[in-house]
Coordinates of all heavy atoms in Angstrom, one line a residue:
A1 N -8.3 -6.0 -6.1 CA -7.9 -6.8 -7.3 C -6.5 -6.6 -7.7 O -5.7 -7.5 -8.0 CB -8.9 -6.7 -8.4
V2 N -6.1 -5.3 -7.7 CA -4.7 -4.9 -8.0 C -3.8 -5.5 -7.0 O -2.7 -6.1 -7.4 CB -4.6 -3.4 -8.1 CG1 -3.1 -3.0 -8.1 CG2 -5.3 -2.8 -9.4
C3 N -4.1 -5.4 -5.7 CA -3.3 -6.0 -4.6 C -3.0 -7.5 -4.9 O -2.0 -8.0 -4.8 CB -3.9 -5.7 -3.3 SG -3.8 -4.1 -2.8
R4 N -4.2 -8.2 -5.2 CA -4.0 -9.6 -5.5 C -3.1 -10.0 -6.6 O -2.3 -10.8 -6.5 CB -5.4 -10.3 -5.6 CG -6.2 -10.4 -4.4 CD -7.4 -11.2 -4.5 NE -8.3 -10.7 -5.5 CZ -9.3 -9.8 -5.3 NH1 -9.4 -9.3 -4.1 NH2 -10.1 -9.4 -6.3
M5 N -3.3 -9.2 -7.7 CA -2.4 -9.4 -8.9 C -0.9 -9.1 -8.6 O -0.1 -9.8 -9.0 CB -3.0 -8.5 -10.1 CG -4.2 -9.0 -10.6 SD -4.9 -7.9 -11.8 CE -3.9 -8.4 -13.3
C6 N -0.8 -8.0 -7.8 CA 0.7 -7.6 -7.5 C 1.3 -8.7 -6.5 O 2.5 -8.9 -6.6 CB 0.6 -6.2 -6.8 SG 0.2 -4.9 -7.9
E7 N 0.5 -9.3 -5.6 CA 1.0 -10.3 -4.8 C 1.5 -11.5 -5.6 O 2.5 -12.1 -5.3 CB 0.0 -10.7 -3.8 CG -0.1 -9.7 -2.6 CD -1.3 -10.1 -1.7 OE1 -1.8 -11.2 -1.8 OE2 -1.7 -9.3 -0.9
R8 N 0.7 -11.9 -6.6 CA 1.1 -13.0 -7.5 C 2.3 -12.7 -8.2 O 3.3 -13.5 -8.4 CB -0.1 -13.3 -8.5 CG -1.3 -14.0 -7.8 CD -2.2 -14.6 -8.9 NE -2.7 -13.6 -9.8 CZ -3.9 -12.9 -9.6 NH1 -4.6 -13.2 -8.5 NH2 -4.3 -12.1 -10.5
E9 N 2.4 -11.5 -8.8 CA 3.6 -11.1 -9.5 C 4.8 -11.0 -8.6 O 5.9 -11.4 -9.0 CB 3.4 -9.7 -10.2 CG 2.4 -9.8 -11.4 CD 2.9 -10.7 -12.5 OE1 4.1 -10.9 -12.8 OE2 2.0 -11.3 -13.1
G10 N 4.6 -10.5 -7.3 CA 5.7 -10.4 -6.4 C 6.3 -11.8 -6.0 O 7.5 -11.9 -5.8
R11 N 5.4 -12.8 -6.0 CA 5.9 -14.2 -5.8 C 6.8 -14.7 -7.0 O 7.7 -15.4 -6.8 CB 4.8 -15.1 -5.5 CG 4.2 -14.9 -4.1 CD 3.3 -16.0 -3.7 NE 2.1 -16.1 -4.6 CZ 0.9 -15.4 -4.3 NH1 0.9 -14.6 -3.3 NH2 -0.1 -15.5 -5.0
R12 N 6.4 -14.2 -8.2 CA 7.2 -14.6 -9.4 C 8.5 -13.9 -9.5 O 9.4 -14.4 -10.0 CB 6.3 -14.3 -10.7 CG 5.2 -15.3 -10.8 CD 4.3 -15.0 -12.0 NE 5.1 -15.0 -13.2 CZ 4.9 -14.2 -14.3 NH1 3.9 -13.3 -14.2 NH2 5.7 -14.2 -15.3
H13 N 8.6 -12.6 -9.0 CA 9.7 -11.7 -9.1 C 10.1 -11.4 -7.7 O 9.7 -10.5 -7.1 CB 9.4 -10.5 -10.0 CG 8.9 -10.8 -11.3 ND1 9.6 -11.0 -12.4 CD2 7.6 -10.8 -11.7 CE1 8.9 -11.2 -13.4 NE2 7.6 -11.0 -13.1
K14 N 11.1 -12.2 -7.1 CA 11.4 -12.1 -5.7 C 12.0 -10.7 -5.4 O 11.8 -10.2 -4.2 CB 12.5 -13.1 -5.4 CG 11.9 -14.5 -5.5 CD 10.7 -14.7 -4.6 CE 10.2 -16.2 -4.8 NZ 9.0 -16.4 -4.1
D15 N 12.5 -9.9 -6.3 CA 13.1 -8.6 -6.0 C 12.1 -7.5 -6.2 O 12.5 -6.3 -6.3 CB 14.4 -8.4 -6.8 CG 14.1 -8.4 -8.3 OD1 13.1 -8.9 -8.7 OD2 15.0 -7.7 -9.0
C16 N 10.8 -7.8 -6.5 CA 9.8 -6.9 -6.8 C 9.1 -6.5 -5.5 O 7.8 -6.5 -5.5 CB 8.9 -7.4 -7.9 SG 7.7 -6.1 -8.4
G17 N 9.7 -6.0 -4.5 CA 9.1 -5.6 -3.3 C 8.7 -4.1 -3.5 O 9.3 -3.4 -4.2
G18 N 7.6 -3.7 -2.8 CA 7.2 -2.4 -2.8 C 6.1 -2.1 -1.8 O 5.9 -2.8 -0.9
I19 N 5.5 -0.9 -1.9 CA 4.5 -0.5 -0.9 C 3.2 -0.1 -1.7 O 3.4 0.7 -2.7 CB 4.9 0.7 -0.1 CG1 6.2 0.3 0.8 CG2 3.9 1.2 0.8 CD1 6.9 1.5 1.4
L20 N 2.1 -0.5 -1.3 CA 0.8 0.0 -1.9 C -0.1 0.4 -0.8 O -0.3 -0.3 0.2 CB 0.1 -1.1 -2.7 CG -1.2 -0.7 -3.3 CD1 -1.0 0.3 -4.4 CD2 -1.8 -2.0 -3.9
C21 N -0.5 1.7 -0.8 CA -1.4 2.2 0.3 C -2.5 2.9 -0.4 O -2.5 3.3 -1.5 CB -0.7 3.1 1.3 SG -0.1 4.6 0.6
T22 N -3.6 3.1 0.4 CA -4.8 3.9 -0.1 C -5.0 5.1 0.8 O -4.8 5.0 2.0 CB -6.1 3.0 -0.3 OG1 -6.3 2.4 1.0 CG2 -5.9 1.9 -1.2
V23 N -5.6 6.1 0.3 CA -5.9 7.3 1.0 C -7.4 7.6 0.7 O -7.8 7.7 -0.5 CB -5.0 8.5 0.6 CG1 -5.5 9.7 1.4 CG2 -3.5 8.2 0.8
S24 N -8.2 7.7 1.8 CA -9.6 7.9 1.6 C -9.9 9.3 2.0 O -9.3 9.9 2.9 CB -10.3 6.9 2.5 OG -11.8 7.2 2.4
A25 N -10.9 9.9 1.3 CA -11.3 11.2 1.6 C -12.2 11.2 2.9 O -12.5 12.1 3.5 CB -12.1 11.9 0.5
E26 N -12.8 10.0 3.2 CA -13.7 9.8 4.3 C -12.8 9.6 5.6 O -11.8 9.0 5.6 CB -14.5 8.5 4.1 CG -15.5 8.3 5.1 CD -16.2 7.0 4.8 OE1 -16.8 6.9 3.7 OE2 -16.4 6.1 5.7
N27 N -13.3 10.3 6.6 CA -12.5 10.3 7.9 C -13.1 9.1 8.7 O -14.1 9.3 9.4 CB -12.7 11.6 8.6 CG -11.8 11.7 9.9 OD1 -11.0 10.8 10.1 ND2 -12.1 12.7 10.7
T28 N -12.4 8.0 8.6 CA -12.9 6.8 9.3 C -11.7 6.2 10.1 O -10.6 6.1 9.6 CB -13.6 5.8 8.4 OG1 -13.9 4.7 9.2 CG2 -12.7 5.4 7.3
M29 N -12.0 5.7 11.2 CA -10.9 5.0 12.1 C -11.3 3.6 12.2 O -10.8 2.9 13.1 CB -10.7 5.7 13.4 CG -10.4 7.2 13.3 SD -8.8 7.4 12.6 CE -7.7 6.9 13.9
A30 N -12.0 3.0 11.3 CA -12.4 1.6 11.4 C -11.2 0.7 11.3 O -11.2 -0.3 12.0 CB -13.5 1.3 10.3
K31 N -10.3 0.9 10.5 CA -9.1 0.1 10.3 C -8.0 0.8 10.9 O -7.6 2.0 10.6 CB -8.9 -0.2 8.8 CG -9.9 -1.1 8.2 CD -9.5 -1.4 6.8 CE -10.6 -2.4 6.1 NZ -10.2 -2.7 4.7
K32 N -7.2 0.1 11.7 CA -6.0 0.7 12.2 C -4.8 0.0 11.6 O -4.9 -1.2 11.2 CB -6.0 0.3 13.8 CG -7.1 1.0 14.5 CD -6.6 2.0 15.5 CE -7.7 2.6 16.2 NZ -7.4 3.8 16.9
S33 N -3.8 0.8 11.5 CA -2.6 0.3 10.8 C -1.4 0.6 11.6 O -1.4 1.7 12.3 CB -2.4 0.9 9.4 OG -1.2 0.5 8.9
A34 N -0.3 -0.3 11.6 CA 0.9 0.0 12.4 C 1.8 1.0 11.5 O 2.7 1.5 12.1 CB 1.6 -1.3 12.6
H35 N 1.3 1.3 10.4 CA 2.1 2.2 9.5 C 1.4 3.6 9.4 O 0.2 3.7 9.5 CB 2.3 1.6 8.1 CG 2.9 0.2 8.2 ND1 4.2 0.0 8.5 CD2 2.3 -0.9 8.0 CE1 4.5 -1.3 8.4 NE2 3.3 -1.9 8.1
R36 N 2.2 4.6 9.1 CA 1.8 6.0 8.9 C 2.3 6.5 7.6 O 3.5 6.3 7.3 CB 2.2 6.9 10.1 CG 1.6 6.5 11.4 CD 0.1 6.8 11.5 NE -0.4 6.5 12.8 CZ -1.2 5.6 13.0 NH1 -1.7 4.8 12.1 NH2 -1.7 5.3 14.2
L37 N 1.5 7.2 6.9 CA 1.9 7.8 5.6 C 2.2 9.3 6.0 O 1.2 10.0 6.4 CB 1.0 7.7 4.5 CG 1.2 8.5 3.2 CD1 2.4 7.9 2.6 CD2 0.0 8.4 2.3
I38 N 3.4 9.8 5.8 CA 3.7 11.2 6.1 C 4.2 11.8 4.7 O 5.1 11.3 4.2 CB 4.7 11.4 7.2 CG1 4.2 10.8 8.5 CG2 5.1 12.9 7.3 CD1 5.3 10.7 9.5
C39 N 3.5 12.8 4.3 CA 3.9 13.5 3.0 C 4.4 14.9 3.4 O 3.8 15.7 4.0 CB 2.8 13.6 2.0 SG 2.1 12.0 1.5
I40 N 5.6 15.2 2.9 CA 6.2 16.5 3.2 C 6.7 17.1 1.9 O 7.3 16.4 1.0 CB 7.4 16.4 4.1 CG1 6.9 15.8 5.5 CG2 8.1 17.7 4.4 CD1 8.0 15.4 6.4
I41 N 6.4 18.4 1.7 CA 6.9 19.1 0.5 C 7.9 20.0 0.9 O 7.8 20.9 1.8 CB 5.7 19.8 -0.3 CG1 4.7 18.8 -0.7 CG2 6.4 20.6 -1.5 CD1 3.4 19.5 -1.2
V42 N 9.2 19.9 0.3 CA 10.3 20.8 0.7 C 11.0 21.3 -0.5 O 10.8 20.7 -1.6 CB 11.4 20.1 1.6 CG1 10.7 19.6 2.9 CG2 11.9 18.8 0.9
N43 N 11.8 22.3 -0.4 CA 12.5 22.8 -1.5 C 13.5 21.8 -2.0 O 14.0 20.9 -1.2 CB 13.3 24.1 -1.1 CG 12.3 25.3 -1.0 OD1 11.3 25.3 -1.5 ND2 12.7 26.2 -0.1

């Protein structure tokens, strides 16, 4: 529902591009994505 609302708002505000992703605790490979989320903590 948040994604749908953001898509509507994004059409209204052309410069409002961004990224929304989800992270699940469940280890499932049911959905494949061309994108990868890499988190790194550095000094």
Side-chain angles (χ1 to χ4, degrees):
V2 168
C3 287
R4 286 191 300 275
M5 290 175 80
C6 290
E7 285 173 9
R8 284 194 302 269
E9 290 299 326
R11 286 191 294 273
R12 289 180 53 217
H13 305 279
K14 298 297 181 194
D15 63 338
C16 187
I19 298 168
L20 177 66
C21 67
T22 59
V23 179
S24 176
E26 184 178 307
N27 186 10
T28 177
M29 297 300 284
K31 290 185 180 179
K32 298 244 179 195
S33 173
H35 306 287
R36 298 284 184 249
L37 172 66
I38 301 172
C39 298
I40 301 171
I41 299 172
V42 297
N43 290 334

